[in-house]
């Protein structure tokens, strides 16, 4: 096994823009996500989360740098990269004129690792009729079908772009609990792009904060919380990250600490996002 094969997803100097005079969407993104990890990519709208996932699956060609999926560069060996990756984009694009069962048959014909039993069990658990045309399902039901197909694909890497945007909070939590269990049983590597930090708690073991263009933080979730604290006010000795909203309109300060931090995952994300828009002198 080479060093490149030791990671499920690896990007080196990854950069993307859509024209010579266009602004950079991603700039110098370097990631090493271990095999079997469950990573949340968190950031505001327009931070480049969707572009990052599309580069990994090979739907976007990097302007500079490269990205590998289990050692395969989708620009060089597209078939191998696609065989390793299952991808659910925003909007859950399914065929409205086909039934749920038709979609199961279609994926089974395309991907030999697909588990028909797992997909059927999941969809029936959600009380979605297999005979229903997808176009007649609600937005939330269509999302659940797309997610069930992806989780049953047998791929080594699962990329989910805002996967639960159309689901209510209870359905979101149920989905992530289920996805985490499947990933744990199969060794699946999961990368979820989201702006809902609470979805990541207890599910993802790694957090990537993607500020506009670049990676502001990449760390295991346990490390991210234990090496940061929120203070009412920082001293000259504290290594300040950014401001964090507190109850009743007040604000705290996220600082780096060697260990024993008291920050929540949401505190950490908000502090790093604030750092990308607040000049260092002001912080």
């Amino acid at each position: 096994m080479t060093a490149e094969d030791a990671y499920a997803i690896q990007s080196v100097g990854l950069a993307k823009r859509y024209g010579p005079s266009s602004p950079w969407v991603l700039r110098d993104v370097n990631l090493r996500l271990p095999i079997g990890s469950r990573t949340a990519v968190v950031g505001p709208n327009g931070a480049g989360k969707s572009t990052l996932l599309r580069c990994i699956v090979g739907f976007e060609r990097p302007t500079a740098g490269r990205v590998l999926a289990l050692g395969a560069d989708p620009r060089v060996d597209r078939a191998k990269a696609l065989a390793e990756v299952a991808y659910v984009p925003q909007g859950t694009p399914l065929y409205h004129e086909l039934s749920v069962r038709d979609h199961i048959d279609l994926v089974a014909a395309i991907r030999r690792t697909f588990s028909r039993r797992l997909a059927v069990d999941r969809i029936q658990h959600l009380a979605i009729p297999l005979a229903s045309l997808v176009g007649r399902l609600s937005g939330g039901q269509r999302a659940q079908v797309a997610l069930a197909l992806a989780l049953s694909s047998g791929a080594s890497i699962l990329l989910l772009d805002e996967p639960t945007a159309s689901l209510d909070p209870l359905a979101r939590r149920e989905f992530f609990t289920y996805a985490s269990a499947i990933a744990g049983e199969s060794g699946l590597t999961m990368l979820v792009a989201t702006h809902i930090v609470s979805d990541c708690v207890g599910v993802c073991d790694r957090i990537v904060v993607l500020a506009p263009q670049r990676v502001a933080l990449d760390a295991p979730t346990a490390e991210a919380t234990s090496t940061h604290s929120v203070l009412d006010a920082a001293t000259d000795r504290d290594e300040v990250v950014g401001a964090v909203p507190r109850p009743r309109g007040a604000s705290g300060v996220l600082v780096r600490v060697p260990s024993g931090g008291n920050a929540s995952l949401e505190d950490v994300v908000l502090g790093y996002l604030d750092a990308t828009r607040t000049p260092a002198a002001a912080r």
Side-chain angles (χ1 to χ4, degrees):
M1 176 181 288
T2 67
E4 291 178 343
D5 292 331
Y7 298 97
I9 298 169
Q10 182 177 15
S11 67
V12 181
L14 179 65
K16 176 65 180 180
R17 63 180 177 183
Y18 291 94
S21 59
S22 301
W24 290 96
V25 180
L26 297 172
R27 192 76 182 268
D28 196 27
V29 172
N30 298 288
L31 293 173
R32 286 183 170 181
L33 305 184
I35 293 173
S37 60
R38 299 187 295 275
T39 303
V41 178
V42 182
N45 292 331
K49 302 187 298 295
S50 297
T51 300
L52 173 62
L53 267 60
R54 290 176 63 83
C55 286
I56 295 170
V57 78
F59 290 171
E60 296 286 357
R61 187 178 183 88
T63 305
R66 65 174 183 163
V67 62
L68 304 175
L70 286 173
D73 186 334
R75 298 176 303 174
V76 178
D77 192 346
R78 186 175 181 83
K80 181 180 179 183
L82 287 176
E84 301 286 6
V85 177
Y87 169 57
V88 179
Q90 292 186 55
T92 58
L94 299 175
Y95 298 101
H96 285 207
E97 68 277 12
L98 297 183
S99 70
V100 175
R101 182 178 285 107
D102 290 336
H103 280 83
I104 294 173
D105 293 340
L106 180 61
V107 179
I110 295 172
R111 189 181 283 269
R112 62 177 179 80
T113 56
F114 179 72
S115 172
R116 181 187 297 271
R117 178 194 57 78
L118 191 63
V120 169
D121 287 351
R122 174 62 180 168
I123 291 169
Q124 289 182 333
H125 170 75
L126 296 166
I128 299 174
L130 296 176
S132 290
L133 293 179
V134 165
R136 295 180 180 174
L137 300 178
S138 68
Q141 288 175 319
R142 287 197 296 272
Q144 290 282 22
V145 170
L147 294 168
L149 294 173
L151 285 169
S152 308
S153 66
S156 300
I157 298 173
L158 178 62
L159 305 179
L160 302 175
D161 191 357
E162 303 285 359
T164 58
S166 59
L167 302 182
D168 61 63
L170 182 60
R172 289 206 312 268
R173 175 50 52 181
E174 182 188 36
F175 164 73
F176 276 114
T177 300
Y178 176 75
S180 181
I182 293 295
E185 292 171 3
S186 64
L188 175 71
T189 301
M190 189 165 66
L191 181 60
V192 185
T194 183
H195 61 274
I196 305 174
V197 181
S198 60
D199 284 347
C200 315
V201 177
V203 174
C204 295
D205 55 25
R206 193 171 194 90
I207 186 79
V208 172
V209 179
L210 192 61
Q213 301 182 355
R214 65 183 184 84
V215 174
L217 176 69
D218 173 15
T221 52
E223 177 185 313
T225 55
S226 66
T227 58
H228 294 84
S229 283
V230 178
L231 307 177
D232 292 333
T235 70
D236 291 341
R237 297 187 301 274
D238 292 316
E239 189 177 355
V240 176
V241 176
V244 178
R246 309 307 285 168
R248 296 181 294 277
S251 65
V253 181
L254 183 73
V255 300
R256 296 183 185 89
V257 296
S259 61
N262 65 6
S264 68
L265 195 60
E266 185 171 17
D267 289 334
V268 173
V269 171
L270 292 175
Y272 275 89
L273 292 181
D274 177 74
T276 66
R277 62 186 185 187
T278 304
R283 295 200 302 275

